Amino acid sequence: MTLDRCSDAQRDMRHGYYGGGPGVIASALAWCAAGIVAIALSPKHAVLALFVGGMFIHPVGIVIAKALGRPGSHTRGNPLGALALESTVWMLLCLPLAYAISIDRIHWFFPAMLLVIGGRYLVFRTIYGTRTYTALGVCLASAAFALIVARATPVVGAFAGAAIEFIFAAMIFAASRRSA
């Protein structure tokens, strides 16, 4: 892929998905729901809440993008669409590992998921062509390590993920509005 074609593909992804902001908001909502479930029920239920909420991130993100006047999709043949799908498969393959960790050390589940999601956002740097995703990935990974060192509760871990993603979603939306 040539430099011009890559820039065009990234521009198409940014336009179609509003810079990825709707997906980040949907993810933040899933993290927030997991935090609420951890408080109301238990950390084990919060694990399930994050998994179930995670299944709705992409469809909710598309609905949000469409509500904001974007197509919620990319142009057919955009090579970055394949990269997005491949990074989704990688993320899904990491979920059993995070779940296995939660069986023995429930307080490590949310930091493990922060690492998985943070790693995926590093790929979004290439998909969308914006450095904000590098910062988001690094921030989530740093939070994961801080939570483990601090021996934070699952409630704190879930709400840390939500807070970080809400902040970055606002940054992504602001940048997308400026560039539009």
Side-chain angles (χ1 to χ4, degrees):
M1 178 168 25
T2 67
L3 187 57
D4 288 339
R5 187 163 175 228
C6 183
S7 296
D8 291 342
Q10 289 169 331
R11 194 174 307 106
D12 177 56
M13 297 299 274
R14 284 192 304 271
H15 173 74
Y17 300 104
Y18 209 109
V24 178
I25 280 285
S27 181
L29 292 170
W31 284 93
C32 194
I36 292 167
V37 169
I39 291 169
L41 297 175
S42 73
K44 288 184 181 184
H45 287 95
V47 168
L48 181 60
L50 188 62
F51 283 151
V52 171
M55 293 187 310
F56 292 99
I57 292 170
H58 185 66
V60 169
I62 289 172
V63 169
I64 295 169
K66 287 182 177 192
L68 295 171
R70 300 294 174 91
S73 62
H74 53 276
T75 303
R76 178 180 227 129
N78 185 326
L80 295 175
L83 180 58
L85 179 61
E86 292 160 0
S87 71
T88 299
V89 172
W90 173 85
M91 178 190 65
L92 293 173
L93 292 172
C94 292
L95 296 182
L97 180 60
Y99 177 73
I101 289 168
S102 78
I103 293 170
D104 204 34
R105 297 181 188 255
I106 192 73
H107 61 284
W108 283 12
F109 172 75
F110 289 103
M113 288 303 298
L114 287 170
L115 289 171
V116 170
I117 303 305
R120 183 157 192 252
Y121 281 137
L122 294 176
V123 175
F124 282 23
R125 162 63 173 95
T126 300
I127 292 170
Y128 292 106
T130 57
R131 285 179 257 169
T132 304
Y133 283 104
T134 302
L136 175 52
V138 169
C139 192
L140 290 174
S142 298
F145 290 116
L147 290 165
I148 289 173
V149 169
R151 297 178 185 261
T153 67
V155 171
V156 172
F159 283 121
I164 292 166
E165 288 197 332
F166 277 129
I167 291 166
F168 275 89
M171 293 167 53
I172 292 165
F173 279 123
S176 292
R177 266 181 280 170
R178 280 193 305 272
S179 68

